[in-house]
Amino acid sequence: MLHRSGGVIEPNWLWRDVPGIALCALVACAATWMTVLAGSAVIWGLIFGLVLAATWSPPALFQTGISFAARQVMRIGVALLGFQISLATLQILDVADVAALAINVAIVLMVGWFLGPMLGITRELSLVAAASVAVCGASAAAAVACVVMRNDSANRDVACTVGAVSIISSVAMILYPLLVHMAGLGSAAGGIFLGGSIHEVAHAIAAGYSVDPETGDMATVAKLLRVALLAPACIAVSFIATGREVSQKPLLPLPPVFLIGFVVAALLNASGLVPRELSQVTTPLSRFCLVTSMAAIGLTLPWRSIRAFGIKPIVLLLILSVVLIGLSLTYVKNHSF
């Protein structure tokens, strides 16, 4: 498919993106394979992208596709997360559990909003970091960044936040089950604690099942409820971040299309209209989209921009993680199961 522009025959917009998208997908495949050995595919995708960019400068043929993968493929991955939500999530947890998990998300977002500027971090990056801790790690960081970040450092901030929160979540997957034993939590309480405080979905589930099957089941449900809060959290963050603009305009801003897609996917899956086989495919596909977008971001970042990220956002992530641990432990220790 070709069209003529200024006497030069050029591929149309779709075919122009294919080489760059294929390159990022290839890097994502390698990153996914590396998880067989150790680590997170998101981290490997980012690292492989950075290393490739440091040793080879992608020619113009790949640039538009890489840009598409960095932003649009990320949005597709977030939208597909909605297929993980089902009515079983709400049926297993009682009203108090749901309310506590939602309140914890709101508190962590507010703490990030106020604490970030005190540490010398922009409000936008503070919200990205807070959402990654409060909701669902890398996916939440990517989603909120798509909503609130508009400057040239957005890719760097997303990449560094995703990398840092994924590492913190990996450590949490190992250490938090020890807290469950030390605190003497039962299966229900331990599952809600793990699912309510560990950042990444895969890490929360793995931590739960490392204790026992009942704890794993409850951790899975609690974590998926936090995933379900991604859309309302992003919409709330959008209103907060654009508060001054909203006050000057009579109309409220519409949610981004990818968030509408997330909600539609969740409603379809919860209604039972989506075949089980399809919902099982969308989970790894959503993750692969996120890994692909991280590879694309890595391909666009010079190492000096990574160094410019600094230690302060990582300190913020650690503080917010401790806050979430405290909130989750307080709830499960004072609630009867």
Side-chain angles (χ1 to χ4, degrees), residues 219-237:
T220 300
V221 172
K223 184 60 194 179
L224 289 180
L225 177 64
R226 287 170 67 199
V227 174
L229 294 171
L230 177 60
C234 285
I235 293 171
V237 163

Side-chain angles (χ1 to χ4, degrees), residues 232-311:
C234 285
I235 293 171
V237 163
S238 177
F239 289 148
I240 293 171
T242 59
R244 293 185 181 89
E245 297 178 13
V246 172
S247 64
Q248 299 170 359
K249 299 179 181 180
L251 297 177
L252 294 177
L254 291 174
V257 173
F258 73 93
L259 284 184
I260 296 174
F262 175 93
V263 173
V264 170
L267 292 175
L268 287 173
N269 199 48
S271 68
L273 295 176
V274 178
R276 181 177 177 83
E277 293 77 12
L278 177 59
S279 62
Q280 289 176 337
V281 169
T282 55
T283 298
L285 180 58
S286 171
R287 191 67 175 177
F288 187 77
C289 285
L290 185 59
V291 177
T292 300
S293 69
M294 286 300 107
I297 289 174
L299 283 166
T300 63
L301 291 181
W303 280 102
R304 63 180 179 275
S305 68
I306 300 295
R307 293 195 298 269
F309 184 69
I311 193 67

Side-chain angles (χ1 to χ4, degrees), residues 48-257:
F48 284 169
L50 288 168
V51 171
L52 188 58
T55 56
W56 172 69
S57 180
L61 174 67
F62 297 96
Q63 293 300 330
T64 57
I66 291 173
S67 298
F68 182 90
R71 296 190 64 82
Q72 303 306 326
V73 172
M74 180 186 293
R75 288 170 165 83
I76 293 170
V78 172
L80 289 174
L81 274 176
F83 287 106
Q84 296 186 30
I85 311 303
S86 69
L87 288 179
T89 302
L90 297 178
Q91 291 172 346
I92 294 177
L93 301 172
D94 62 28
V95 175
D97 299 331
V98 174
L101 291 169
I103 291 171
N104 289 354
V105 168
I107 290 175
V108 172
L109 288 174
M110 287 189 292
V111 172
W113 167 260
F114 287 109
L115 184 60
M118 295 180 185
L119 295 173
I121 305 169
T122 64
R123 292 232 186 247
E124 291 79 9
L125 179 54
S126 300
L127 288 171
V128 171
S132 70
V133 172
V135 186
C136 53
S139 301
V144 172
C146 290
V147 172
V148 303
M149 303 194 76
R150 296 289 182 269
N151 56 42
D152 293 336
S153 65
N155 276 359
R156 180 204 68 191
D157 291 340
V158 172
C160 294
T161 301
V162 165
V165 80
S166 297
I167 292 172
I168 293 171
S169 183
S170 298
V171 174
M173 175 182 64
I174 298 171
L175 296 182
Y176 287 16
L178 300 178
L179 286 177
V180 170
H181 291 297
M182 291 172 60
L185 301 178
S187 296
I192 290 176
F193 168 71
L194 294 173
S197 58
I198 295 180
H199 312 71
E200 296 284 350
V201 174
H203 295 159
I205 294 172
Y209 283 108
S210 72
V211 178
D212 58 57
E214 293 77 14
T215 302
D217 291 343
M218 187 61 75
T220 300
V221 172
K223 184 60 194 179
L224 289 180
L225 177 64
R226 287 170 67 199
V227 174
L229 294 171
L230 177 60
C234 285
I235 293 171
V237 163
S238 177
F239 289 148
I240 293 171
T242 59
R244 293 185 181 89
E245 297 178 13
V246 172
S247 64
Q248 299 170 359
K249 299 179 181 180
L251 297 177
L252 294 177
L254 291 174
V257 173

